[in-house]
Amino acid sequence: MTRTVYVNGEYLPETEAKVSIFDRGFLMADAVYEVTSVIGGKLIDFAGHTARLERSLSELEMASPVTMDELLAIHRELIVKNNIDEGGVYLQITRGAGSDRDFVWPDPEEVPGGIVLFTFAKPLLNSKTMDEGIKVISVEDLRWGRRDIKTTQLLYPSFAKMQAKRAGCSDAWLVEDGFVTEGYANNAYIVKDGTIITRQLSSDILHGITRAAILRFAEEAQIKVEERPFTIAEAQEADEAFVTSATGFSQPVIEIDGEMIADGTPGPIAKRLREIYVEEMLKTAI
Ligand code: PDD
């Protein structure tokens, strides 16, 4: 099926959508992005994603070519045009295309930002990985130091994912100075004696929108949360492990670096949090 995508003000068939070879997103990964999930044709936690987008833009002194209200309208239009029931919307804003390759940022008054959105259909509610759990390997975290900004510099996460794939795993946990930072494209958690442990927010990790909601729901459900770094060895000794992301909600981890977590089956807390997450987020889906 040919999707309809949005590029710099136009809705076009994906085969006709084009961006300039001078677009800084293409040349320098000078771009930020968001992925918002869709259930029943509605956007999950759109307010959370736009708040993080505005922060990413402001940290990089980048201007948005559209307002957040316009962005919502474009998301909705694409969901309708592509008949998306379950899946998501990918959004990318770049610093635009100057007239040449230049390390100096162009004046936003002269060079408008670039914007691209497209949808994808993907089953989210009935997920095989949720029932079976995922296996992860650990990989050294060699990304830049501002992981709190959601940029399109994804070569290293992609490299880590390939290492996981070659090891027969679906996910890589990134480790820096002996401690897990996060997953290659998700936030990482362990559970020990009923307490959820996950790294505290800083520029070391992306401030996951799903993370914020899951920790809020955990506290409401009287599950203790400790925000601190943990090691791979501690994770391997945990009662449970899981990851969160916009399109994965909370997914159980059953093996880390070849060591089974507990008895190697998905743990109850990740499952319960996923159920609460879906139920609660549907109430505010737009
Ligand atoms: N990834 N950490 C990293 C490094 C991520 O790339 C992501 C999201 C997360 C989870 O954030 P959120 O809960 O807001 O989705 C954490 C997206 C889904 C991606 O790159 O496809």
Side-chain angles (χ1 to χ4, degrees):
M1 196 200 82
T2 304
R3 280 175 288 191
T4 298
V5 301
Y6 181 88
V7 184
N8 297 329
E10 284 184 288
Y11 292 94
L12 293 167
E14 63 186 17
T15 45
E16 287 169 31
K18 290 187 174 62
V19 292
S20 162
I21 64 155
F22 295 116
D23 190 283
R24 298 177 61 85
F26 171 64
L27 291 178
M28 295 184 169
D30 191 355
V32 297
Y33 77 108
E34 283 296 329
V35 179
T36 306
S37 62
V38 173
I39 303 179
K42 289 185 170 177
L43 293 155
I44 302 295
D45 212 344
F46 188 74
H49 287 282
T50 46
R52 184 173 61 192
L53 175 68
E54 289 190 293
R55 180 176 180 277
S56 294
L57 289 165
S58 116
E59 289 297 304
L60 293 175
E61 298 168 38
M62 209 184 273
S64 175
V66 293
T67 66
M68 295 303 125
D69 285 344
E70 285 165 343
L71 208 50
L72 173 59
I74 300 166
H75 275 75
R76 283 181 158 158
E77 187 70 25
L78 283 180
I79 290 169
V80 171
K81 281 189 191 301
N82 294 296
N83 203 13
I84 302 295
D85 178 46
E86 254 175 62
V89 183
Y90 176 87
L91 144 79
Q92 174 168 328
I93 293 178
T94 82
R95 207 184 297 274
S99 53
D100 208 337
R101 179 172 179 267
D102 192 349
F103 282 80
V104 174
W105 295 349
D107 181 346
E109 299 290 321
E110 285 164 26
V111 175
I115 179 165
V116 166
L117 285 94
F118 57 84
T119 55
F120 55 93
K122 184 181 170 191
L124 302 180
L125 293 179
N126 295 313
S127 144
K128 191 164 157 275
T129 50
M130 188 60 201
D131 297 338
E132 294 175 1
I134 57 171
K135 295 179 180 176
V136 315
I137 59 161
S138 61
V139 174
E140 194 184 351
D141 195 342
L142 295 178
R143 298 171 300 165
W144 81 323
R146 290 302 307 274
R147 300 148 193 169
D148 55 316
I149 308 174
K150 198 164 170 61
T151 75
T152 60
Q153 292 182 80
L154 296 177
L155 181 56
Y156 193 73
S158 166
F159 180 76
K161 172 80 172 182
M162 280 312 295
Q163 291 184 60
K165 187 170 184 238
R166 289 190 179 130
C169 296
S170 55
D171 227 278
W173 278 12
L174 306 174
V175 176
E176 187 171 60
D177 300 330
F179 293 94
V180 175
T181 49
E182 59 187 329
Y184 80 102
N186 47 49
N187 291 113
Y189 308 72
I190 57 172
V191 181
K192 189 70 183 173
D193 299 328
T195 298
I196 296 175
I197 300 157
T198 193
R199 197 179 178 104
Q200 70 279 14
L201 296 181
S202 71
S203 52
D204 296 340
I205 63 169
L206 185 74
H207 301 188
I209 300 306
T210 320
R211 178 190 183 279
I214 286 279
L215 293 188
R216 190 171 74 242
F217 298 141
E219 277 172 6
E220 282 169 17
Q222 318 283 324
I223 304 170
K224 258 183 72 191
V225 175
E226 225 176 280
E227 291 182 69
R228 63 161 175 86
F230 58 86
T231 63
I232 290 292
E234 191 181 3
Q236 288 169 327
E237 293 296 310
D239 302 327
E240 203 177 313
F242 64 96
V243 292
T244 65
S245 70
T247 50
F249 310 148
S250 69
Q251 287 184 309
V253 170
I254 54 166
E255 195 186 289
I256 303 174
D257 285 343
E259 293 284 325
M260 266 184 352
I261 307 305
D263 65 359
T265 58
I269 291 187
K271 185 164 187 284
R272 188 158 150 232
L273 286 174
R274 183 185 176 92
E275 285 162 3
I276 300 174
Y277 178 83
V278 171
E279 193 184 320
E280 290 299 315
M281 296 320 281
L282 279 176
K283 291 183 190 162
T284 55
I286 52 173

